[in-house]
Amino acid sequence: MLEIRDLHVRLEEEDKPILKGLSLTVEAGKVHAIMGPNGSGKSTLSYVLAGRDGYEVTGGSATLDGEDLLEKEPDARAAAGLFLAFQYPVEIPGVNNMTFIRTALNAQRKARGEAEISAPDFLKQVRETAKSLNIGPEMLKRAINVGFSGGEKKRNEILQMAMLAPKMCILDETDSGLDVDAMKLVAEGVNALRAPDRGFLVITHYQRLLDHIVPDVVHIMVDGRIVETGGAELAARVEREGYGALVKATA
Amino acid sequence: MLSEKLIDDKRRTAEALLAALPLPEGESAWARDARARARSRLLDAGAPIRRDEYWKYTDPTALTAPAAPVAPAPEGGLPSALALFAGHAARRIAFVNGRQRPDLSDDAAQAGLAIAPLGEVLAHDVTWARGLFGALEAAGQEKVARPLAALNTAAATEGAALHVTGAVAEPLHLAHTQIGEGAALLRHLVRVESGGAVTLLESGIAGNTVMEIDLAPGAVLRHIRLQDAPERPTATHVFARLGAGAKFQTFTLTADGSLTRNEVVMEFAGDDAQGHIAGAVLGRGESHVDNTVFVTHGAERCESRQVFKQVLDGAAKAIFQGKIFVRQVAQKTDGYQISQSVLLSDDAEFSAKPELEIYADDVKCSHGSTTGALDEGGLFYLMARGIPLRQAEAMLVGSFVEEAVAEIADEDLREIMRARVADWMGARG
Ligand SMILES: Nc1ncnc2c1ncn2[C@@H]1O[C@H](COP(=O)(O)OP(=O)(O)OP(=O)(O)O)[C@@H](O)[C@H]1O
Ligand SMILES: [Mg+2]
């Protein structure tokens, strides 16, 4: 589904390489996790895939179901089925959260040549999904992420993900800032979306999240490369031993 | 300091401006007096020129070309410009080419309101009008000359005179349109007595428009203007004097237009009053919009707010000059001012000149100004959810302008302004 081959990326402004030949394939129906030390390039990978400005791809490729992602504008990538749950969701004053979600959903549908969702259908669906994530109606009415607590912002990301029903979901540290109960809710939200035609790439620092969202594959990223790939047990090893051994092994 | 030659030029231009306009006839002695004093004010100050500090950012040349009044427009159907604010329940008072047109106007009569053409009150001895006509304009010249407002007092013969004594149910809509070239002057007088409340809408503003607003203690006035792509250079002045506990709100949306200068001059004359002045500017092409505000706190515990948002594309320019002047008596003043711009192109330009002059010691005054591109992080976030660039920009612009739009009390009117902003963004292509 998501295929990243030998990806090289540097910062436009500083001429600083961040991703240094990263390869990774997420198959449909699978959950892959990426763990790695701070600054290893995990968020950079997620931003480059989603199409944020400021990065230059100097080599390699990234495709979604065989379609080149890197040539597309961010909105076209979203319409093609890519979703990024941000590590730091952006506050947008003055834009109503629910209006935003509906606008996004309809924009994607329009881009795919589908009909818009009817207002009652949307309302019903957004209310139900919000409820399952313990997001009250007042949070739907507020400006996007403005005044949301850290945990509320993360739950709002999952709400958007559930509403947009993407093919490929990238979650960048969605667990950080969540209390135990919220973590469970988020994990349930993600698990509910697991489907044979949907892939997940879960970036996290902690085994805790992976206890709830059990990954099929775990990758360790160090200094812009995947240095080790294994099963769920690899996450447990990192939790026990830290990255020290892995970093040394690749140095 | 201006050279003697420039001072001479200014006076000659002022003389020419006056000479181009006919002397009003058949007015009462007090009105003639007020006019004569205004002529002196204009001649003493001279016409504005670029070298005047107050016109540093806006070249007034297009506003000071002497012109005879535009000829009356032929009778006929309703020009579309008069239909702005359509859909909002309001009583329209229509003006075409600077002349009131009863045939295009609604019946404005409502409980709590006495309304007459300006000419009528100037021909009689109407006490409230006598104390108001030219008085606020003259007072507004204390710290800085406003010659175009003096010109209006000297020569404007048409406009609406409103005496509000109760809560007026439906807003009044002062609508103007101009067909053909020439000068169009309008002068509105508004006196709201204690217990009175009224909403005034204004659209299609005439080239030189002055409104004097006198609020008795406890009176309430809301003023909402739509300057939609004005075809001609426009200079407006709103003079407002607030009695104790009065509430005044004015909001103006200016979309494009070659040259627009809006001055709002507000004075707190009684304690505990509240005055909010807001505006939104949408500029593209070569449009030039100047909002100039002067707030005088002359009483205790008054609250003033200035909120201006400009969205500039192409080679558009916007200017905000805002001053808060706090007299020594005006303790516990609360003064706030913010002007912010979003630049959608590299050639667009915003200049802000905030000023505080404070003689009281126990006051809270703040001002701020920002200018820059749309927030990239926000744009990316919206696009990452599938919203195309133009639409994402429109959403961010809408939210940017919202702080000014939120100053409008009526939700229906807020919606009209939001829709206009969305249309304008939609037309970017
Ligand atoms: N816009 C930028 N400007 C400067 N440096 C940047 C920028 N974006 C990323 N970097 C640098 O690139 C490196 C990788 O950052 P990135 O955010 O991708 O790491 P990460 O693996 O997500 O870390 P964390 O676990 O702390 O979230 C870091 O050294 C970071 O400082
Ligand atoms: Mg990160």
Side-chain angles (χ1 to χ4, degrees):
Chain A
M1 167 156 279
L2 176 68
E3 200 159 336
I4 305 166
R5 287 229 177 115
D6 194 28
L7 191 62
H8 290 258
V9 169
R10 66 173 188 208
L11 289 176
E12 257 168 20
E13 297 231 317
E14 297 178 28
D15 191 21
K16 178 181 166 187
I18 309 282
L19 302 185
K20 304 168 180 175
L22 183 137
S23 297
L24 180 73
T25 301
V26 181
E27 308 81 7
K30 301 287 187 206
V31 174
H32 285 229
I34 296 188
M35 304 180 83
N38 294 133
S40 55
K42 304 180 299 295
S43 292
T44 300
L45 172 65
S46 71
Y47 284 147
V48 168
L49 292 175
R52 187 177 195 140
D53 279 345
Y55 304 99
E56 189 190 348
V57 177
T58 53
S61 66
T63 58
L64 183 63
D65 282 341
E67 259 187 273
D68 180 18
L69 276 179
L70 303 178
E71 281 300 304
K72 288 190 194 331
E73 291 296 316
D75 55 308
R77 300 182 197 201
L82 185 79
F83 181 91
L84 168 63
F86 283 55
Q87 180 172 1
Y88 305 108
V90 182
E91 298 191 4
I92 305 187
V95 180
N96 172 278
N97 199 26
M98 195 148 71
T99 309
F100 158 58
I101 298 173
R102 197 178 64 219
T103 306
L105 183 56
N106 282 329
Q108 290 199 17
R109 288 183 167 220
K110 193 173 162 202
R112 293 193 292 258
E114 299 164 11
E116 290 197 351
I117 186 168
S118 79
D121 285 354
F122 172 79
L123 264 180
K124 185 163 172 282
Q125 203 183 327
V126 79
R127 285 207 184 113
E128 277 171 15
T129 316
K131 201 166 163 222
S132 72
L133 289 163
N134 204 9
I135 293 176
E138 79 292 342
M139 254 172 78
L140 290 173
K141 279 188 213 136
R142 266 151 65 181
I144 306 169
N145 294 327
V146 176
F148 287 28
S149 75
E152 286 170 343
K153 284 181 184 167
K154 296 303 178 79
R155 277 184 278 146
N156 197 33
E157 294 291 288
I158 302 304
L159 170 65
Q160 294 168 41
M161 184 169 87
M163 291 300 297
L164 295 170
K167 278 196 248 179
M168 179 66 219
C169 308
I170 304 172
L171 286 78
D172 190 357
E173 291 197 31
T174 302
D175 51 337
S176 66
L178 292 182
D179 63 38
V180 186
D181 295 335
M183 168 110 67
K184 271 201 192 123
L185 277 178
V186 162
E188 279 164 19
V190 171
N191 287 330
L193 287 172
R194 287 179 84 152
D197 54 355
R198 184 171 286 139
F200 288 87
L201 189 58
V202 178
I203 299 170
T204 181
H205 284 293
Y206 304 106
Q207 166 70 32
R208 236 172 14 148
L209 179 69
L210 303 179
D211 287 341
H212 298 290
I213 308 173
V214 181
D216 299 292
V217 183
V218 174
H219 307 274
I220 307 298
M221 182 164 168
V222 176
D223 193 22
R225 279 186 212 94
I226 302 297
V227 298
E228 183 137 355
T229 297
E233 75 290 346
L234 185 55
R237 204 180 107 204
V238 166
E239 187 93 350
R240 267 195 327 272
E241 300 172 9
Y243 295 113
L246 289 160
V247 174
K248 261 184 230 123
T250 58
Chain B
M1 275 309 288
L2 298 176
S3 69
E4 226 151 274
K5 161 146 192 339
L6 282 177
I7 292 171
D8 233 40
D9 284 352
K10 280 165 69 79
R11 187 181 171 96
R12 258 200 298 278
T13 309
E15 282 167 355
L17 278 167
L18 280 170
L21 298 167
L23 277 181
E25 282 166 25
E27 295 182 336
S28 54
W30 68 265
R32 285 200 306 273
D33 263 8
R35 300 238 194 236
R37 286 195 299 273
R39 273 196 301 278
S40 315
R41 278 196 295 279
L42 170 57
L43 293 174
D44 287 350
I49 56 170
R50 187 68 189 266
R51 292 282 301 277
D52 293 326
E53 186 59 27
Y54 217 43
W55 292 85
K56 187 172 165 189
Y57 301 102
T58 296
D59 184 351
T61 309
L63 297 167
T64 56
V70 55
E75 298 274 325
L78 184 69
S80 62
L82 295 181
L84 288 168
F85 287 115
H88 190 77
R91 310 283 178 95
R92 179 171 49 226
I93 306 166
F95 299 86
V96 178
N97 289 6
R99 292 164 187 84
Q100 192 162 345
R101 286 283 296 272
D103 58 317
L104 302 172
S105 301
D106 298 327
D107 177 10
Q110 292 182 76
L113 171 71
I115 178 165
L118 177 74
E120 211 164 280
V121 297
L122 296 186
H124 298 93
D125 198 9
V126 181
T127 315
W128 70 264
R130 190 176 172 164
L132 181 54
F133 179 66
L136 296 194
E137 175 261 298
Q141 314 252 4
E142 178 192 334
K143 299 281 287 182
V144 53
R146 307 177 197 279
L148 296 173
L151 173 68
N152 187 289
T153 305
T157 54
E158 300 246 3
L162 310 174
H163 191 208
V164 178
T165 51
V168 179
E170 277 198 8
L172 299 173
H173 176 194
L174 303 166
H176 181 262
T177 191
Q178 178 168 351
I179 302 157
E181 294 308 311
L185 285 77
L186 284 182
R187 175 55 153 269
H188 307 298
L189 295 180
V190 186
R191 161 79 185 177
V192 186
E193 302 296 347
S194 295
V198 68
T199 297
L200 298 180
L201 312 177
E202 225 188 330
S203 67
I205 323 291
N208 183 330
T209 299
V210 172
M211 188 181 283
E212 282 173 309
I213 298 169
D214 193 15
L215 302 184
V220 177
L221 185 135
R222 302 196 170 97
H223 174 232
I224 291 111
R225 273 193 298 197
L226 194 46
Q227 292 177 309
D228 207 349
E231 283 175 40
R232 293 171 189 77
T234 302
T236 75
H237 292 80
V238 171
F239 295 95
R241 179 169 61 193
L242 280 66
K247 285 199 168 75
F248 171 65
Q249 281 179 359
T250 178
F251 172 92
T252 302
L253 176 76
T254 309
D256 304 318
S258 65
L259 174 60
T260 303
R261 162 92 161 203
N262 293 324
E263 295 191 23
V264 177
V265 183
M266 175 172 80
E267 186 191 352
F268 291 104
D271 299 338
D272 302 299
Q274 207 186 65
H276 292 188
I277 301 164
V281 173
L282 309 172
R284 67 163 56 101
E286 302 275 310
S287 93
H288 181 115
V289 180
D290 175 334
N291 279 296
T292 291
V293 175
F294 198 110
V295 174
T296 302
H297 282 265
E300 292 188 16
R301 295 180 305 277
C302 293
E303 182 210 296
S304 70
R305 247 175 99 80
Q306 304 170 43
V307 179
F308 283 82
K309 299 274 183 157
Q310 18 289 298
V311 182
L312 304 171
D313 200 357
K317 279 198 177 62
I319 287 95
F320 175 74
Q321 303 192 99
K323 176 153 180 170
I324 306 176
F325 171 49
V326 182
R327 295 189 200 273
Q328 203 176 348
V329 295
Q331 299 298 354
K332 309 269 184 219
T333 282
D334 183 353
Y336 173 77
Q337 178 194 100
I338 182 92
S339 68
Q340 295 183 302
S341 285
V342 157
L343 306 180
L344 298 174
S345 79
D346 292 342
D347 294 333
E349 212 180 294
F350 175 62
S351 309
K353 189 180 173 197
E355 253 188 296
L356 299 177
E357 188 179 337
I358 301 176
Y359 297 101
D361 45 33
D362 185 13
V363 303
K364 197 173 86 191
C365 280
S366 65
H367 65 81
S369 182
T370 63
T371 179
L374 281 177
D375 174 44
E376 250 184 75
L379 267 183
F380 175 62
Y381 190 71
L382 296 178
M383 290 182 76
R385 296 297 176 252
I387 300 172
L389 176 65
R390 284 296 190 233
Q391 201 180 349
E393 287 174 335
M395 287 174 83
L396 290 186
V397 161
S399 83
F400 169 75
V401 174
E402 185 59 27
E403 189 186 353
V405 170
E407 293 288 320
I408 301 172
D410 184 280
E411 173 57 19
D412 201 33
L413 289 169
R414 284 201 291 262
E415 252 330 297
I416 289 178
M417 297 301 168
R418 287 183 195 121
R420 185 65 194 92
V421 174
D423 278 356
W424 188 87
M425 285 301 289
R428 279 182 79 209

